[in-house]
Amino acid sequence: SGNYFEYYAMAIGGRSTSAKTYLEKHFDKFAAADADALVQHAVEALNKTTASDQSLSTKNTAVCIISTNNKFREVSGEELQKFLDKLEKKDPEADAAMEEAPAA
């Protein structure tokens, strides 16, 4: 037996609440988005999970694309850097709120 779930977006792990919030706010755009736009949303969501004094880089970030039309592929470092260069600036106050939040 097994379970089947269809996901358009999901975040798990430490500080995943920030990523889930981002994904929920932008969920309506995913169906019409091309692969590049979806990768940009993915790195934006990942960026929400890091502290304000940390930055995503090609050294600490990897993105893979799986689709029904193409084979599995990992986004190259050079291509990934283009997405990372477009990231929104972080709000340092968001970190303060996370530190004050009670542990679950």
Side-chain angles (χ1 to χ4, degrees):
S1 72
N3 295 317
Y4 174 81
F5 298 99
E6 183 174 2
Y7 288 103
Y8 289 100
M10 182 54 150
I12 60 172
R15 297 178 67 125
S16 64
T17 303
S18 300
K20 285 180 188 176
T21 300
Y22 175 87
L23 293 170
E24 288 169 359
K25 285 182 181 178
H26 298 278
F27 174 78
D28 58 330
K29 301 172 189 167
F30 296 166
D34 63 5
D36 285 349
L38 292 172
V39 170
Q40 190 64 48
H41 283 298
V43 295
E44 288 289 355
L46 280 171
N47 194 41
K48 302 293 184 196
T49 67
T50 60
S52 61
D53 64 340
Q54 295 178 330
S55 298
L56 295 180
S57 71
T58 57
K59 300 278 187 206
N60 64 12
T61 307
V63 174
C64 295
I65 299 174
I66 304 170
S67 75
T68 56
N69 302 331
N70 299 308
K71 293 183 177 182
F72 168 93
R73 79 173 180 92
E74 184 172 355
V75 176
S76 70
E78 184 177 302
E79 185 181 1
L80 179 58
Q81 187 61 53
K82 293 176 186 176
F83 294 109
L84 297 175
D85 290 343
K86 297 178 190 175
L87 289 174
E88 295 174 2
K89 299 294 181 209
K90 293 186 190 179
D91 180 10
E93 292 179 16
D95 280 345
M98 289 294 286
E99 290 170 2
E100 294 171 8

